[in-house]
Amino acid sequence: MSLKSAVKQALLKFRLRGVNYRNLIDPYTYIGKFTTLKTADDRSTINFNQHVDLHNYVSLIAEDGGEIIFGKRVSIGDYSTLRASRAKISIGNNTMLGQGVKLISTNHAYKDKNRLIHEQDIDTEKIGITIGADCWLGAGCVVLPGVAIADGVVVGANAVVTKDVPEYAIVVGIPAKIISYRS
């Protein structure tokens, strides 16, 4: 490792003090300005891989045993938020998330009308998010808890993904629907 790479790694590790992360060994990992990385407890982790690129104003939050796992060569656009609470968010190799993408691993339970929503726990029927390899999630899209996006999927800008998406599908809209497949 060159001196420049070693200094960059040391500065990056200093920025991440207090964050429970694993595998931050790649000198090509980039963490942009005003990016927030937070692990709320010892059970929560953020797992880096080679060539992870977090642009400016990205928020990564792992709490209550949540885990964020990056594959190799993952890029996260400006102003995106990944929040893993009591569940896992996994992003495959060579995947890109555009600006302002939101991945939230759990949601509040709300069906019991005899209890206030903030007194109810999480909805345990749908938790976690899995995004495969070679995917592109367009700017402003939202992926809801419990969704698995298979390899090669393209999600159009501002789409809301509410259910699993098969390999190489192209989805758009609210809720996201398949309009074609990559050929």
Side-chain angles (χ1 to χ4, degrees):
M1 182 183 290
S2 71
L3 179 60
K4 185 178 179 180
S5 294
V7 169
K8 182 181 173 185
Q9 281 297 104
L11 290 172
L12 188 56
K13 288 180 179 180
F14 179 75
R15 280 183 68 193
L16 297 178
R17 65 192 182 281
V19 175
N20 187 14
Y21 63 88
R22 292 189 188 128
N23 306 325
L24 188 61
I25 57 173
D26 182 39
Y28 299 105
T29 294
Y30 173 76
I31 299 179
K33 295 177 183 175
F34 307 107
T35 291
T36 302
L37 290 90
K38 178 182 173 187
T39 53
D41 53 59
D42 290 341
R43 299 174 300 127
S44 304
T45 58
I46 300 171
N47 295 292
F48 289 92
N49 211 318
Q50 296 173 335
H51 292 75
V52 173
D53 193 5
L54 305 175
H55 290 256
N56 301 322
Y57 300 96
V58 170
S59 292
L60 302 180
I61 302 162
E63 58 191 2
D64 294 329
E67 185 175 20
I68 300 172
I69 302 170
F70 293 106
K72 296 177 183 176
R73 291 174 302 281
V74 170
S75 178
I76 310 293
D78 296 338
Y79 300 99
S80 292
T81 300
L82 285 69
R83 186 177 197 124
S85 180
R86 294 197 234 174
K88 184 186 327 183
I89 295 175
S90 176
I91 302 173
N93 297 338
N94 303 302
T95 289
M96 301 182 304
L97 277 64
Q99 299 84 4
V101 170
K102 306 288 186 241
L103 307 179
I104 312 298
S105 70
T106 55
N107 207 348
H108 290 279
Y110 57 87
K111 292 184 179 177
D112 184 352
K113 69 178 183 177
N114 297 314
R115 293 176 53 210
L116 297 172
I117 294 171
H118 77 269
E119 292 176 349
Q120 297 182 48
D121 202 9
I122 65 168
D123 180 356
T124 56
E125 293 177 23
K126 295 181 179 182
I127 62 171
I129 294 173
T130 302
I131 299 173
D134 188 32
C135 293
W136 175 26
L137 280 66
C141 74
V142 176
V143 180
L144 297 182
V147 169
I149 295 176
D151 294 344
V153 168
V154 174
V155 178
N158 293 312
V160 177
V161 184
T162 60
K163 60 184 179 181
D164 294 354
V165 181
E167 286 186 336
Y168 302 104
I170 299 170
V171 298
V172 299
I174 303 172
K177 295 190 183 333
I178 297 171
I179 60 165
S180 64
Y181 287 86
R182 290 174 61 191
S183 54

